[in-house]
Amino acid sequence: MKEPITKADITAAILLDDDTLVLFGAIDRPLPATASVHLDGSVEGRFGGRCWTDAEGERWFLAGIRVPGLAQMRPSRVEIDGEDGQRMVLPRLSNVRTNPAHLIVALKEFQPGCMGLALDFAGALAASTDGPSDRIGRLLAGLVQEVSQPDGFAEVFGRFRDGSLMLQGWARSLKTGVQKLLIEAEDVQVYRGAAAAFARPDLPGDASGVLAVLTDTTPAPGAIRRIHYRAADGWRHLEIFEHRTILPEGVASAHVSDMLGNLHDGEARQAVARLAASRYDGVETVSRLEVPVRIGLDMALRVPGAGLFVGGWLLDPTRQVRTVTLKGPGVSARLDAEWTRLARRDVTDAFAHDPLFAGRLVPGQDSHGFTAFASEPAGIPEGAEFHLELELADDRFAFLPLSCLPPSPDVLRRMLSVVNLDSPSIEQIIARHVGPMLRTAGAKGSEVAATGTHAMGRLVESPRVSVILPVTDGREDVDLNLARLAIDPDFAEAEVLVVAASGTHERLGGTVRQAAAFYRLSVTFVTAPDATDPFQAIASALPHARAERVLLLSPSVLPVEKGWLSALERVSRKSGGPVMVSPTLLYEDHSIRFAGIMAVEGPEGSVTYERRFAGYPRDWLKERDANAVDAAAPECALLPKDTLARVLATMGSYMGADHKGLDLCLRLRALGGACVWLPRVTLVALDEQPRDAHADRWRRAGAMVDRWSFEDTWSARVAA
C-alpha cells in the first residue's frame, strides 16, 4: 500500500552545503523531531524537524535533511520514516536555492514571530555539522541580526595556546554552565563553552559578572563583533566593550584560576574550572603531579597527512588516569581505548624505591608499556605541535609535549620493530594505521638519486644493452658476475652499471675497477647510498643507462651458458610492444626456481600469485617456446629503458622488496605491456640469506604491511 503524499506547501528549500537541505513551509500534520529519510526509495539519510501552530491555527515547519552527496541529487520522492513508526511522503521539491537569504525573507514574510525558533533550529543544525559551512554561517548571521537583543558587554579576552578563548564581562540573561555560544566575526559559528557568574557591585541588581571558557579554535579577540546566546526569553548578545582588555599570551589560564574563587554556583564553577584545566599551555606538567602517575615516551613518529605513532610507558598503580588523549591542530584521538599494552619490568624497577610509588607497585604486574596510533587529516602543517593529555580523577589534567621524529627509513623500522605482531587486532592496526602511514611516508621519500658515477674499464660508444647489477648487501665478489658476462660474446658491446646501494662493502669499488680492467668490460660504478633495495638501486642507475634496452640482473643470478641474451632479445623484438622477458631460473641443484608467475583465483574473487613448478625437477618443464605470464622475474629480465622508467615512476611504496617485483610487472601490464617467460634459456639463481638477519622483527612486520599494501592496491583492479 502506497503512503499518501503529505499536504505541504514548501515555501523555501535551501541547500546549505553539499549534504544539507533546509525546508520551510506549511503542513497538514506534525513532523517527527528526528527520523530517517529516503530519497527516491534508496538513498538514506537523517531528518530533523520543528513544527508550530500560528495564531490562525495553521501548522508550519522547519526541517533539515542530511544525505551525503545531496547536492548532486535531484530527488523526486522524499519519504520520512519516524522513530514512532510514522511514515509520510513530502511533495516533489522544486526551486531549490543556495542563498540562505531566501529562507530569512520567507520567514519574515510568513512567520515573523518564529525567527527565534528558526535560530534555535539553525544553531542545532550548525552544531551537528562537521566543520564550518559558509552558507550555514550566513544563515546564522542573518537570523541573529533579526532576533538577538543587547544584554551586556564582553570586557576582557584571553587566548589559550590551542586557540580557544576566555572572556569576562557582564550580562543580565546569560545562563551558567555548559552551553553553546554563537561568535559573530566575519561570519557566525557555533562554539562549545562553559560560563559562571560572579558578583559585581558596580552593576544593576539584575546583572552580574560573567566568566566563560570556550573550546575549539575561536576567532582572534580583535575580530569578534558580538557573542550571542540563548536566554530564557529569547536570543541575547554581549556587545564588545570599546576599551576591552586583551590579556597577553599565556595569561588566560592564570586569570581563570584567580577568578575561580569568586564564581557562584558550584556546578558552573566546576564546569569552567574543568575546561580551563584542560587547556594546554605548552609545558610538561606530569612530573609536577603529587599523585602516583608518571609517563615517559620512547618514540613519537609523525607522518604528515597520515598520522602519528606513540610508544612509551604509563605508570598508574592507583588508577588515577581516566583517559589518555593525543591532541594537536585538527587531532583529538583517545589512545587508551585502543592501545597495545606491553610488559615493562624496567619501569617497575626504576620506581620501586620512589616514595610516591613505594608499596603501590604489585610484583609481576609490569604492563606499563604502550604503543598507540592516531590518524590525522590532510592539510595540517608539517611543523604542527602535538601533546598527550592525561585526564585524572577530580577533573585534573596533566600534559606531555611530543617531540615527533620525521619519517626516515630508520625511524620507520624502529616503529615496526616495536609493533606487537601477536596482537589479535594486528591486521586492523596495519589496515587503519601502519599501512597508510608507511604508504604516505614512502610516497614522499620514494625517489632515490645516485650520488656519483665512475667510468671503469673500456668505453663502448653505443652499447647493445645496459646491464644493471644492483648490490644491496655486503658482498664484494661481483667480479664473478663480471667474469661470467665477459666470456659471453653477447656482452662484448654491452655496458654494465654496478650500483653500490646502502650497506655496500667499502672494497666493492676496488674489486669492480680491477675486474673491469682485467676483463675489458665497459662498467659504470654508480653510488646510491640511500637505496635500500634492488628496485631503488635500479631506479637510481637508470638515468645513466645509455642503451634502449635494459637487462636487470641480480648478483645472485649466474649464467650457465652463452648466447642467452640474444635469445631474450629475439623474443623482445618479435613481441613488438613493451615486454619484460625473463628466462628460467634454477636453484643450485637445478630444481626450478622461476618458470613464470601466474595469478590464481581464490575464494570470493581473491587473487594470489604462484611461481609455477617451484622446487620441481627441471625435467618437469616441457615448454620450449616463449609463454605469456602474469609476472616475470625481476632478478633477470630484459625490457625497454623508457618502459622501465615509466613503471618505476609509479611504483607503490613498500618496506621490503618482496612485493615490488610483482607490483612492477602489474604496472607494466597496466601500461599496455606484457610479461614473457622463455623456458629454454636457463640461469642459476643462488639462494642467499640476507646479511642483516638480526633485523628479523621489523622485516616480519614490514612483510605484513607490504602484503596489505599490495592487496589494497591491486586486489580490486586485478579482479576487474
Side-chain angles (χ1 to χ4, degrees):
M1 177 180 176
K2 290 185 177 180
E3 293 292 332
I5 296 179
T6 301
K7 292 181 181 180
D9 179 12
I10 299 177
T11 307
I14 308 297
L15 190 67
L16 288 181
D17 57 33
D18 289 344
D19 305 329
T20 308
L21 179 70
V22 170
L23 306 177
F24 164 64
I27 195 167
D28 65 341
R29 53 177 166 155
L31 285 171
T34 58
S36 59
V37 64
H38 297 269
L39 304 185
D40 294 333
S42 58
V43 183
E44 183 175 350
R46 295 300 304 166
F47 173 91
R50 298 282 181 91
C51 279
W52 67 92
T53 303
D54 64 12
E56 298 177 359
E58 189 172 6
R59 183 178 288 113
W60 293 82
F61 77 95
L62 272 168
I65 295 174
R66 182 161 286 155
V67 176
L70 180 61
Q72 283 71 49
M73 304 175 192
R74 292 185 176 272
S76 60
R77 180 182 175 88
V78 179
E79 183 179 341
I80 300 166
D81 294 333
E83 296 176 355
D84 58 356
Q86 180 185 6
R87 296 167 62 89
M88 60 180 64
V89 179
L90 296 181
R92 181 168 183 166
L93 301 178
S94 62
N95 198 23
V96 176
R97 304 191 182 193
T98 57
N99 189 346
H102 291 291
L103 176 58
I104 297 172
V105 170
L107 285 164
K108 289 175 65 176
E109 180 178 355
F110 294 100
Q111 291 290 292
C114 292
M115 299 289 281
L117 186 148
L119 183 52
D120 293 341
F121 176 80
L125 195 66
S128 63
T129 301
D130 294 331
S133 165
D134 175 64
R135 276 176 254 167
I136 293 179
R138 285 157 54 196
L139 175 60
L140 291 171
L143 290 171
V144 296
Q145 295 301 323
E146 295 293 334
V147 303
S148 184
Q149 300 296 317
D151 191 55
F153 282 89
E155 301 165 327
V156 181
F157 291 91
R159 202 85 182 270
F160 296 99
R161 184 184 177 90
D162 62 359
S164 56
L165 189 70
M166 176 228 80
L167 65 92
Q168 180 181 320
W170 65 269
R172 290 182 170 87
S173 309
L174 178 61
K175 296 185 297 183
T176 60
V178 177
Q179 59 190 290
K180 292 182 175 65
L181 303 174
L182 305 183
I183 294 183
E184 179 183 345
E186 289 298 324
D187 60 2
V188 178
Q189 298 292 342
V190 180
Y191 296 89
R192 297 174 296 119
F198 60 92
R200 275 184 55 174
D202 60 323
L203 298 176
D206 60 346
S208 61
V210 292
L211 179 73
V213 175
L214 282 69
T215 62
D216 309 317
T217 301
T218 55
I224 297 174
R225 299 170 185 169
R226 288 174 176 172
I227 298 167
H228 304 269
Y229 43 88
R230 188 66 161 91
D233 57 349
W235 282 87
R236 300 287 183 266
H237 64 260
L238 300 181
E239 301 279 4
I240 307 303
F241 186 54
E242 182 180 2
H243 302 295
R244 61 188 175 276
T245 299
I246 299 178
L247 300 176
E249 186 174 344
V251 177
S253 293
H255 182 81
V256 173
S257 298
D258 291 342
M259 289 293 298
L260 288 177
N262 301 323
L263 301 181
H264 301 161
D265 185 349
E267 188 173 335
R269 181 173 61 247
Q270 185 177 3
V272 170
R274 175 182 170 81
L275 280 185
S278 65
R279 303 300 94 193
Y280 171 61
D281 278 341
V283 296
E284 185 273 327
T285 60
V286 179
S287 59
R288 306 178 196 170
L289 293 174
E290 297 178 357
V291 294
V293 172
R294 292 295 182 268
I295 190 170
L297 287 183
D298 302 316
M299 179 183 182
L301 161 68
R302 181 188 173 213
V303 179
L308 299 95
F309 166 80
V310 181
W313 51 267
L314 171 66
L315 194 60
D316 179 27
T318 58
R319 303 292 189 269
Q320 297 285 324
V321 179
R322 292 175 177 170
T323 62
V324 178
T325 305
L326 187 149
K327 289 193 171 183
V331 177
S332 179
R334 182 172 173 181
L335 300 185
D336 58 303
E338 296 184 350
W339 64 14
T340 299
R341 302 310 302 264
L342 307 170
R344 290 292 300 267
R345 177 65 183 274
D346 59 317
V347 176
T348 305
D349 293 343
F351 285 87
H353 302 292
D354 188 305
L356 200 60
F357 294 87
R360 295 186 169 100
L361 299 176
V362 179
Q365 294 185 6
D366 303 317
S367 296
H368 314 305
F370 67 85
T371 58
F373 295 88
S375 301
E376 73 168 60
I380 297 178
E382 292 202 12
E385 296 182 352
F386 296 85
H387 65 275
L388 295 185
E389 174 192 278
L390 275 62
E391 180 185 354
L392 306 166
D394 301 328
D395 293 326
R396 289 171 296 171
F397 291 84
F399 304 97
L400 179 69
L402 297 185
S403 179
C404 294
L405 298 171
S408 67
D410 288 343
V411 173
L412 293 173
R413 289 171 188 160
R414 280 179 56 197
M415 179 190 75
L416 287 177
S417 68
V418 298
V419 171
N420 182 11
L421 303 181
D422 299 320
S423 169
S425 58
I426 185 62
E427 292 185 355
Q428 290 88 342
I429 292 174
I430 288 175
R432 289 178 54 192
H433 299 293
V434 183
M437 286 179 65
L438 293 181
R439 175 182 289 171
T440 303
K444 293 182 178 180
S446 57
E447 295 185 3
V448 176
T451 59
T453 58
H454 310 275
M456 300 176 178
R458 67 186 180 91
L459 175 66
V460 174
E461 291 291 344
S462 301
R464 170 181 178 177
V465 67
S466 296
V467 183
I468 300 182
L469 196 74
V471 182
T472 58
D473 53 22
R475 71 175 67 230
E476 55 176 311
D477 57 355
V478 295
D479 53 338
L480 176 61
N481 302 88
L482 298 179
R484 293 293 181 101
L485 299 180
I487 62 175
D488 189 338
D490 277 359
F491 294 91
E493 297 301 314
E495 69 168 355
V496 182
L497 291 90
V498 178
V499 190
S502 174
T504 304
H505 199 288
E506 60 183 7
R507 288 198 295 267
L508 179 64
T511 300
V512 172
R513 183 178 295 279
Q514 292 178 9
F518 183 81
Y519 296 115
R520 292 186 52 76
L521 287 172
S522 175
V523 177
T524 299
F525 189 78
V526 181
T527 55
D530 294 330
T532 58
D533 63 53
F535 295 93
Q536 289 184 343
I538 291 167
S540 67
L542 192 60
H544 307 285
R546 294 181 290 135
E548 293 184 357
R549 286 189 175 87
V550 173
L551 176 68
L552 308 182
L553 187 64
S554 167
S556 299
V557 173
L558 298 175
V560 293
E561 56 190 26
K562 300 177 183 179
W564 58 276
L565 175 61
S566 296
L568 297 182
E569 288 177 325
R570 285 192 293 271
V571 173
S572 179
R573 286 192 296 267
K574 186 177 179 180
S575 299
V579 297
M580 182 175 178
V581 187
S582 286
T584 299
L585 298 181
L586 304 175
Y587 287 105
E588 294 173 80
D589 63 358
H590 282 223
S591 61
I592 299 168
R593 179 169 187 156
F594 172 83
I597 297 175
M598 302 299 293
V600 178
E601 187 171 349
E604 300 180 359
S606 62
V607 178
T608 58
Y609 291 86
E610 295 183 359
R611 289 180 179 261
R612 299 193 306 168
F613 308 120
Y616 281 64
R618 180 180 181 180
D619 295 340
W620 276 71
L621 294 182
K622 305 302 180 186
E623 296 96 331
R624 297 287 297 169
D625 298 327
N627 282 263
V629 291
D630 290 321
E635 295 89 351
C636 182
L638 180 70
L639 72 166
K641 174 187 173 181
D642 60 345
T643 300
L644 178 59
R646 291 170 62 195
V647 172
L648 289 174
T650 62
M651 178 174 283
S653 174
Y654 299 93
M655 289 299 295
D658 291 347
H659 286 80
K660 283 189 173 182
L662 193 52
D663 186 274
L664 183 147
C665 293
L666 293 178
R667 291 181 187 275
L668 182 144
R669 291 173 56 195
L671 292 173
C675 295
V676 176
W677 162 55
L678 186 56
R680 59 187 176 83
V681 175
T682 58
L683 289 85
V684 171
L686 304 178
D687 191 15
E688 299 187 5
Q689 296 298 321
R691 297 169 189 261
D692 56 347
H694 64 279
D696 180 62
R697 182 172 179 82
W698 80 258
R699 289 186 182 279
R700 283 177 55 211
M704 296 178 69
V705 174
D706 285 353
R707 184 174 67 248
W708 166 85
S709 183
F710 180 83
E711 292 175 352
D712 185 66
T713 301
W714 288 107
S715 293
R717 295 171 64 178
V718 170

